Every structure is written in C-alpha cells, then in structure tokens.
Amino acid sequence: SSSSSSSFVFLLLSSYQAGVFFLEGIGGEVEPSRAFAAFERGAQEGHTDCEYSLAVCYGKGLGVTPDQSKACVFFERAAQKGHPPAQYNMAQCYFTARGVERDAEKAMLHLQQAADKSFPPALYSLALCHRE
C-alpha cells in the first residue's frame, strides 16, 4: 500500500523534507495535513525552515484552518533566526496588518533585514519604498 511506503520514506527524512514531499506530492499524493504535521514537528524542534513552512501553511490554509495570527508567530520565529523569506513575509504582515497590528517601522526593519541578505523580493520592495 502507498500509505505504508510513504510512512517508511517519512522515517528516512527530516521533518522539513517530509513536509515538502507531502506538500508537493513527491512519490505519492499531495497530503497537506501530513505536510503540516511534519512542519509542526520540525518547528517544535526549532527548525527554521519548518517554522517558515508552518507559517505558510497557516497563511494559506494548507492542512490546517487558515490563521494569519499564527502565521505571523511562525514567520517571526524564523525571521528572528535570519530567514530572508520569513523576514520579507513578516514585513508584508506589518505593512498590511495581516495577523498583526500595522507597524510601518517594524515592516521596514524586516524588509531591510531581508534586503541585506539580497533576497530579491525585499530588494525590489525596498527600491519601491525609496522611490516614493
């Protein structure tokens, strides 16, 4: 059965890799709830990519009921560890008051941190901010 073989594969992978496999359906069906569970396990262990991926799951409702506040909690955790996509997403949360109160100062700080790591969307957004 495909369930037992995917469980075996899961044991050989990190929580992050397993989550990606389940989310993208690599080697089987797309299983967002199993991806969410794998990312959650990794996030509990402090794995930065899992924290970021868990935030994306919460933000998009992948394997879980959408919850922007919880998405921001995990974007913030990964952002504090220097994860550029998380820093960029946290900036967007602060700019648009998505899951947090609007705070342009915190938004710019996160945006600058992501741009300092040459994260292309952050560089582009920062350039637009300075044009205005």
Side-chain angles (χ1 to χ4, degrees):
S1 84
S2 69
S3 176
S4 63
S5 64
S6 67
S7 295
F8 176 72
V9 169
F10 177 78
L11 294 173
L12 301 176
L13 302 171
S14 72
S15 294
Y16 176 70
Q17 292 167 321
V20 170
F21 273 54
F22 289 132
L23 202 55
E24 297 182 3
I26 298 170
E29 295 178 31
V30 173
E31 299 183 64
S33 60
R34 290 185 79 183
F36 176 83
F39 292 140
E40 190 173 42
R41 271 191 298 280
Q44 288 168 350
E45 296 166 6
H47 189 286
T48 307
D49 287 328
C50 286
E51 291 168 338
Y52 173 76
S53 298
L54 193 60
V56 171
C57 287
Y58 274 120
K60 294 183 176 183
L62 301 171
V64 66
T65 302
D67 186 326
Q68 296 304 320
S69 295
K70 284 184 181 175
C72 290
V73 166
F74 289 100
F75 279 138
E76 185 66 46
R77 284 188 193 174
Q80 293 301 324
K81 295 176 183 174
H83 191 278
Q87 292 166 330
Y88 174 76
N89 277 278
M90 207 56 228
Q92 299 306 312
C93 291
Y94 280 121
F95 275 130
T96 62
R98 189 179 74 226
V100 291
E101 285 189 35
R102 191 178 193 298
D103 188 325
E105 193 174 313
K106 286 182 181 177
M108 287 302 291
L109 175 68
H110 282 289
L111 194 57
Q112 186 63 58
Q113 289 171 339
D116 288 347
K117 292 186 180 69
S118 301
F119 186 62
L123 292 168
Y124 178 74
S125 295
L126 204 55
L128 290 178
C129 288
H130 289 302
R131 252 185 45 193
E132 293 175 5

